[in-house]
Amino acid sequence: MPDNDAPPEGTGQPLSRRPAWIILAVIAVIALAVWSFRGKSSGGGAGAGPGAVDGTAINLVTSDRDDLACASDKSFGKYRCEFKAPGVPWPNPPAPADRLAGYYTMDQKLMVIPGLFEQPALAARYTQEQARNLPRDQRPRFSASCQFKTIDHLKDFQTRWLKTGEWGHQDEAPVAVASDCKLQ
């Protein structure tokens, strides 16, 4: 009895396409698993919950140390914004290492970070550029890659991107403590 699944003589067609579909399904499952893991491990920044640690790069210019600020009446242990409300400083301002400010990661996620420029690599870069007395608009941009530990989220706050700039409302951002920063 002839085999109905057999290809016509000399055509070279496979008996079934089932193995190809199985291989494609396996590849799709693996790709989804990798994509899901990648999202959980590198999402850091804005999506990370308390205790999450991840490496993230931030695009900076040394004038950010003095220009960037946030305003909120909330505090996270010793960490708080420089301003209680836009333009209203705290009566006893936080120490530079405890002062929160907003920064954008290289992938445009807002993070609120205490004392970023107190990290040794960034402090050295700041001191070096201050000695050259470069105007703000002539300071080169650079990136810093740091480890960040998310400690909480700041909601309904204001940010300032220039010392003389306007305040802008932000809905929410993670509060993350930096460590092990390296300049790139």
Side-chain angles (χ1 to χ4, degrees):
M1 179 165 182
D3 185 1
N4 289 339
D5 286 339
E9 202 64 36
T11 62
Q13 294 292 321
L15 293 177
S16 171
R17 294 183 185 226
R18 186 172 301 185
W21 285 110
I22 290 172
I23 291 170
L24 286 175
V26 168
I27 290 170
V29 168
I30 291 170
L32 285 173
V34 169
W35 184 263
S36 175
F37 176 75
R38 182 186 159 275
K40 289 177 185 171
S41 66
S42 68
V53 176
D54 98 90
T56 301
I58 296 179
N59 191 2
L60 300 163
V61 63
T62 55
S63 58
D64 288 343
R65 179 181 179 261
D66 302 315
D67 283 344
L68 304 185
C70 65
S72 173
D73 61 356
K74 297 170 186 72
S75 60
F76 304 90
K78 61 184 178 178
Y79 305 129
R80 60 186 166 156
C81 292
E82 182 176 358
F83 296 89
K84 189 173 186 172
V88 180
W90 288 91
N92 54 341
D98 302 333
R99 187 172 46 230
L100 296 172
Y103 297 89
Y104 276 100
T105 65
M106 297 294 272
D107 56 351
Q108 296 301 303
K109 292 180 181 170
L110 178 62
M111 296 175 72
V112 181
I113 304 167
L116 183 61
F117 278 88
E118 299 302 305
Q119 290 292 309
L122 282 94
R125 173 77 182 242
Y126 179 82
T127 301
Q128 176 189 38
E129 284 193 20
Q130 282 298 99
R132 293 185 3 215
N133 204 24
L134 290 172
R136 182 188 190 287
D137 61 339
Q138 292 179 11
R139 293 185 184 197
R141 288 212 158 266
F142 63 97
S143 65
S145 181
C146 306
Q147 291 295 311
F148 291 100
K149 181 178 181 185
T150 302
I151 60 170
D152 211 326
H153 282 76
L154 180 58
K155 297 178 183 178
D156 193 30
F157 65 103
Q158 303 280 322
T159 53
R160 179 191 76 195
W161 305 106
L162 289 171
K163 198 166 202 86
T164 58
E166 297 291 320
W167 292 91
H169 179 265
Q170 305 295 331
D171 291 326
E172 180 178 359
V175 177
V177 178
S179 64
D180 196 29
C181 293
K182 294 176 180 38
L183 301 184
Q184 298 176 338

